[in-house]
Amino acid sequence: MIPSSNKIFTAIASSMILVSCGAPTIVSTPIGNIDTTPLKNIDLTDAQLKGWNSLDLVSDTVPGMSVNKAYNTLIKNKKGQTVIVGVIDSGVDIEHEDLDGVIWTNPKEIKGNGKDDDNNGYIDDIHGWNFLGDSEDENLEYVRIIKKLKPKYAGKTLASVSENDKGEYQNYIEAKAEFEKEYQENSAQKMQYEQILQQSKISHKAITDALGKEDYSRDEVLKVEAKTQEMQQHVAFMAQMFGFMEPGDAIPDFMKTIKEGVDHFTEQLNYNLNPEFDGRKLVGDNVDDITDLKYGNNNVMGPDPKKEGIKHGTHVAGIIAAERNNGIGMNGVAQNVKIMAVRAVPNGDEYDKDIALAIRYVVDNGAKVINTSFGKYYSTHPEWVREAITYAASKDVLIVNAAGNEGTDLDKKAVYPNDQINNDSEIADNFITIGALNYAYGSNLVADFSNYGKSNVDAFAPGVKIWATTPNNSYEYLQGTSMAAPAVAGVAALIRSYYPRLKAPQVKQILMDSGLSTKSSVVIGGKQTNVGSFSGLSKSGKMVNLYNALIMADKLSK
């Protein structure tokens, strides 16, 4: 989405556990450090990689959240309360084999009777609500801004607009510049990917015919007898492609990735960056009227029969709460959880109206934790979302938010949603923003794509190559701060399960204060020349750690 160096990490990493009345009682906050913990000089096994976010930095030298350690020691024999976690995302495959047992069901609604039994304004909202209806694709926000403001400002200069309109005009000019840059870059990348894919197909066939097999190594390619100039070109091209592949991948895997790239840039140009496309037409509401509530439906899986559109939300839900120890797939971070699915994030930028109403819906229906793995850099109604955040705060609900994936300092460039206005004081104390960690213990600890910010990012958690649920009973590796946020949402849910008297601001503070810290330097934004202190990349300067968090929660609750 980074080379390593021999650095030492300092962390809170030990604790004392006493037994009382047959159940473990945690009586002290962890102390000590791991200054002498060695680097892991060998590659992770397949099993370690699939569960690295649950590993322990002390025993495994992998910067996971010590989830396994916490289950095996601190909560092994303890019972907790059920916690509802709202997943506001692209939708969730609620029929997935590893999720069907943890999906929230509205106890006050009668399935299929076409009535709003609980009088909450949503008919038959059995497992949540779909604010997108049958819509799947959308423009990016700055494209929508251009479409809305172009009739008013096209051809005008700053000097020609009224003083009251100067701010809006400037927003239009910035959006227009962003659009032109992104359209040009996406067009060029689409063409490049198409050329690579086409040449890969031709050269792969030539090498396959020569070797008699499709799965081959770079060394085998270089040993192919190339008697013609054409064959020499095939050998050189395929050998070069190995340099762009993930370790362990074969050429067919690489070609699949390139094809996905072509599809991505095609979607960008056809939908996200296409001013002529209107994704909201299928929904039929007025996106600029927060009181226009009669829209959407109860199909939280969305309209895509292949369910590809809900991959993101399904992956997020699995990280939080995929059924633990059921012998299939993977283990979510949290037990005692019910996932409330709310579909409000399309393929493109979400609408502020949908997000504001989705937060309120989740809060009003009993969630104590909300995961928001989405974001954008332009917003037309940020006040609606901020009002929803403060509403959640008034109802003691914690929101766990993804920082974003552009390698950007959020103290210099705002992303939405957020809990600050102009990087000033926070509007609420229930909103925590999470950056992404890599599984490498060293200078490349921070994911090269992760946003950061001493003021606007609160902590970091695992977000690179995370194995979790995807639609149709499948599992895949995905990465992003979108994967780091639900890991923390799972930790928050466990704290609220075992220590229900703790309030949302207390849970947020525990997540930040109990994490593992290091003063070591790390590569920032994937740029080798950009190196800084890990402790300066977030407000806490720490990595979220379940083991320490439960110990601190226990102490605070007493």
Side-chain angles (χ1 to χ4, degrees):
M1 250 193 154
I2 316 196
S4 63
S5 62
N6 198 358
K7 300 295 181 182
I8 300 173
F9 290 80
T10 304
I12 299 172
S14 63
S15 66
M16 295 187 297
I17 300 176
L18 299 181
V19 176
S20 174
C21 302
T25 301
I26 308 164
V27 297
S28 76
T29 302
I31 56 174
N33 64 71
I34 54 167
D35 288 352
T36 58
T37 300
L39 290 174
K40 195 176 190 68
N41 293 318
I42 59 175
D43 293 336
L44 274 63
T45 65
D46 184 59
Q48 287 175 324
L49 188 59
K50 285 182 176 178
W52 81 265
N53 62 343
S54 293
L55 297 181
D56 177 71
L57 190 53
V58 178
S59 59
D60 305 307
T61 63
V62 177
M65 302 190 304
S66 305
V67 175
N68 297 337
K69 182 176 181 179
Y71 273 99
N72 292 335
T73 56
L74 305 183
I75 55 177
K76 185 176 182 179
N77 299 313
K78 298 184 75 172
K79 293 182 179 180
Q81 296 184 9
T82 298
V83 174
I84 299 172
V85 177
V87 173
I88 301 174
D89 215 291
S90 63
V92 176
D93 182 359
I94 60 175
E95 298 173 356
H96 195 288
E97 63 182 3
D98 229 355
L99 292 172
D100 55 3
V102 297
I103 299 299
W104 172 78
T105 297
N106 188 345
K108 300 177 182 178
E109 197 74 17
I110 300 173
K111 184 176 181 179
N113 69 351
K115 298 179 180 179
D116 181 13
D117 300 292
D118 56 2
N119 295 313
N120 69 350
Y122 301 93
I123 296 172
D124 285 343
D125 55 324
I126 304 301
H127 301 296
W129 193 251
N130 172 14
F131 285 94
L132 302 179
D134 291 333
S135 177
E136 296 181 88
D137 302 301
E138 254 302 339
N139 288 153
L140 298 179
E141 188 70 70
Y142 55 80
V143 178
R144 298 195 289 249
I145 290 173
I146 293 170
K147 288 161 64 174
K148 183 178 181 180
L149 299 181
K150 185 177 180 179
K152 185 175 181 180
Y153 296 115
K156 293 189 176 182
T157 63
L158 182 62
S160 68
V161 300
S162 69
E163 198 64 35
N164 290 338
D165 288 341
K166 288 188 185 300
E168 187 178 70
Y169 173 79
Q170 191 61 39
N171 196 32
Y172 166 72
I173 293 300
E174 291 176 1
K176 187 170 178 288
E178 184 78 8
F179 166 74
E180 291 169 351
K181 177 178 74 72
E182 288 297 318
Y183 192 91
Q184 184 176 11
E185 289 180 359
N186 277 268
S187 297
Q189 288 179 305
K190 178 176 181 286
M191 183 180 299
Q192 182 182 31
Y193 271 62
E194 286 174 335
Q195 291 171 346
I196 293 173
L197 180 61
Q198 183 62 25
Q199 188 58 53
S200 294
K201 290 178 179 178
I202 297 170
S203 296
H204 176 56
K205 184 179 186 307
I207 299 297
T208 296
D209 290 345
L211 293 175
K213 60 179 181 179
E214 283 198 346
D215 189 359
Y216 46 81
S217 66
R218 184 176 185 274
D219 288 341
E220 287 175 314
V221 172
L222 293 173
K223 291 178 182 178
V224 170
E225 187 176 0
K227 296 180 179 181
T228 65
Q229 184 178 3
E230 184 181 21
M231 195 62 183
Q232 290 171 3
Q233 291 173 343
H234 291 318
V235 168
F237 180 82
M238 295 314 294
Q240 183 184 15
M241 292 304 100
F242 275 93
F244 301 106
M245 292 165 53
E246 292 285 338
D249 281 355
I251 286 295
D253 299 317
F254 169 75
M255 292 170 63
K256 179 183 177 184
T257 299
I258 296 300
K259 175 61 167 60
E260 290 173 351
V262 172
D263 293 342
H264 167 73
F265 294 119
T266 300
E267 287 185 352
Q268 285 271 306
L269 296 170
N270 288 348
Y271 306 120
N272 307 152
L273 293 167
N274 182 4
E276 303 302 318
F277 176 71
D278 182 5
R280 198 65 175 192
K281 187 175 181 180
L282 285 172
V283 182
D285 70 313
N286 181 355
V287 295
D288 294 314
D289 182 0
I290 193 67
T291 65
D292 180 6
L293 305 176
K294 302 295 184 181
Y295 71 101
N297 59 46
N298 69 344
N299 181 14
V300 298
M301 295 172 67
D304 184 357
K306 294 183 179 180
K307 305 175 186 174
E308 186 68 16
I310 59 172
K311 177 187 287 188
H312 191 276
T314 302
H315 202 267
V316 165
I319 293 171
I320 298 170
E323 297 173 39
R324 293 185 61 84
N325 304 318
N326 62 354
I328 57 175
M330 44 86 66
N331 288 335
V333 171
Q335 59 187 12
N336 305 332
V337 162
K338 293 295 182 182
I339 295 291
M340 183 188 298
V342 178
R343 185 170 180 264
V345 183
N347 172 32
D349 278 347
E350 61 281 357
Y351 281 93
D352 296 324
K353 174 184 175 181
D354 293 342
I355 299 306
L357 293 178
I359 291 173
R360 290 176 178 274
Y361 174 89
V362 171
V363 170
D364 289 341
N365 284 279
K368 301 307 291 182
V369 178
I370 303 174
N371 190 87
T372 56
S373 285
F374 51 82
K376 57 187 180 180
Y377 293 94
Y378 290 81
S379 176
T380 52
H381 296 290
E383 71 281 2
W384 291 349
V385 180
R386 291 192 179 113
E387 287 167 2
I389 291 171
T390 56
Y391 178 72
S394 72
K395 301 295 184 180
D396 187 33
V397 180
L398 180 73
I399 299 174
V400 184
N401 182 60
N405 305 323
E406 287 70 43
T408 296
D409 184 350
L410 296 186
D411 293 350
K412 298 178 180 179
K413 183 178 182 179
V415 67
Y416 302 91
N418 62 55
D419 61 342
Q420 293 183 331
I421 301 176
N422 299 325
N423 286 341
D424 205 344
S425 58
E426 295 182 349
I427 60 169
D429 53 8
N430 67 320
F431 192 91
I432 182 169
T433 296
I434 305 298
L437 296 173
N438 190 11
Y439 53 82
Y441 171 37
S443 65
N444 53 343
L445 174 68
V446 175
D448 58 5
F449 54 78
S450 181
N451 288 349
Y452 55 94
K454 185 64 176 177
S455 175
N456 283 289
V457 174
D458 293 301
F460 280 77
V464 170
K465 208 162 187 179
I466 304 299
W467 180 258
T469 48
T470 46
N472 300 313
N473 296 333
S474 62
Y475 303 82
E476 289 184 29
Y477 288 110
L478 295 180
Q479 60 187 22
T481 57
S482 283
M483 284 64 247
V488 177
V491 174
L494 280 174
I495 295 172
R496 306 214 80 171
S497 172
Y498 290 102
Y499 302 98
R501 289 184 296 175
L502 295 177
K503 300 301 182 183
Q506 293 175 299
V507 176
K508 174 183 176 179
Q509 207 59 47
I510 287 169
L511 292 170
M512 295 170 63
D513 291 349
S514 66
L516 307 185
S517 181
T518 173
K519 296 179 181 178
S520 296
S521 296
V522 294
V523 175
I524 303 170
K527 300 176 182 177
Q528 300 303 311
T529 56
N530 189 12
V531 177
S533 171
F534 175 76
S535 61
L537 299 182
S538 67
K539 186 172 291 187
S540 70
K542 296 182 179 181
M543 301 170 266
V544 173
N545 185 275
L546 173 61
Y547 185 74
N548 285 356
L550 288 173
I551 293 172
M552 184 173 286
D554 186 85
K555 182 177 181 180
L556 185 60
S557 70
K558 291 181 170 62

